[in-house]
Amino acid sequence: TLLFLLSLQKYQLQKQRRELIIGAVFLGLAMLTKYHGVLLVLTTLIYFHPFSKEKIIWRMSSWYIAMVVVLIIIMPNLVWNYQNNWASYIYQFGKGGGSGYLSIHYLLQFLGGQLLYLLPWNAILIIVAIWKFRHQNRSLLLFACVPIFIFSILGATREIMPHWTMYGWMLGLIFMAQLLTEMRRHVAAIIHVVNFTITNGLIVLLLIQSYTGFLNIDRKADLTLDGQGWKQVIEHIQKKNLEYSFLAGHKWFTAGEISLAVNHNVPVLNFNKKHPHHFGFLHDPLKFKEANGIFITTERFPVNVKKKLGSYFSEIIFIDTVITTVLGKERQRFYTWYCKEFTGYIPYKIGAFNI
């Protein structure tokens, strides 16, 4: 994204048409990397609309060559999605749908999340800087504001992740940097020191918490537990000498932790028909028809296993609770079930199997 915007800035300053082609390459790569790239295309078309001061670009062959370059780069993604019922587009843009009504609760929750991500004073400085320098670089201003505006509107209608707007705020840091250069040196220095200290302090705190659990946080709220203890659980299961063909979770990230814990050497299924993620393309459930499996979850993500998986197996037997420890302190509880005679069918909403 930054390299695309750099090419765009160089084109505006130097009017070298090759920068449009170079920018197109970076834009295509940005779209392959993350679907936020669609907003880059939207913002580019808004900025260069046929009635803008830059409308001459529509008469340039390099503009259309750039469009073709972007299309060629993202073509593998388009082909794959065409072959798989547009799965990733349905999933990604399905997350972007609002509830149809405004909610102050959702909006405040979303804005509060962004303030925590940025640190409140940085958010204020970015807003002040964008307003102060809004006439100096209109294209960069637009690329910063469009994602913030769109996702803020969306965040007022449903619960979304605060980081969705972050690439807009990151561009806002460029304006903030200019603002800091105009401040008194000692004030700017204090801001730099405070940001550095708090940011790195939080990183160190999270690392210490994940390895020691020294803070007495409710385990359901402790995000550092997400990757903790999975290998210990797998080792515990292996000692049981149970016959099984696959392991399973009910969320893509718990299934992912299981897969990582076994070094991808054992097939892992995700029993989440609405959001299978990549597990909807990894293993065909039909290959495991009548096979046995082991289902694993944690106290952070509890589920009524017999109710959720009862229709998929002939019998589900609770194995036991696995308590993992760090430095002799209990960190997390895992729950394991032995699931017999899988039907071989998971009605995935998206994926390559059983649609």
Side-chain angles (χ1 to χ4, degrees), residues 29-90:
L29 293 175
M31 293 180 70
L32 288 178
T33 303
K34 198 167 180 63
Y35 285 97
H36 276 62
V38 173
L39 291 180
L40 295 177
V41 175
L42 173 64
T43 311
T44 301
L45 293 176
I46 292 174
Y47 183 74
F48 290 107
H49 67 82
F51 303 102
S52 69
K53 293 180 180 179
E54 302 280 353
K55 61 185 178 183
I56 192 174
I57 202 172
W58 292 89
R59 302 176 196 166
M60 295 163 49
S61 59
S62 52
W63 173 244
Y64 297 97
I65 293 173
M67 291 182 181
V68 173
V69 169
V70 172
L71 188 61
I72 290 172
I73 292 175
I74 66 172
M75 187 58 69
N77 180 275
L78 294 173
V79 171
W80 184 89
N81 270 280
Y82 173 75
Q83 294 172 341
N84 290 278
N85 301 299
W86 306 102
S88 62
Y89 292 107
I90 291 173

Side-chain angles (χ1 to χ4, degrees), residues 30 34 69 106 111 113 127 135 140 155 162 172 231 297:
K34 198 167 180 63
V69 169
Y106 284 148
L111 294 177
I127 293 170
H135 298 302
L140 189 60
K231 286 192 176 182
T297 191

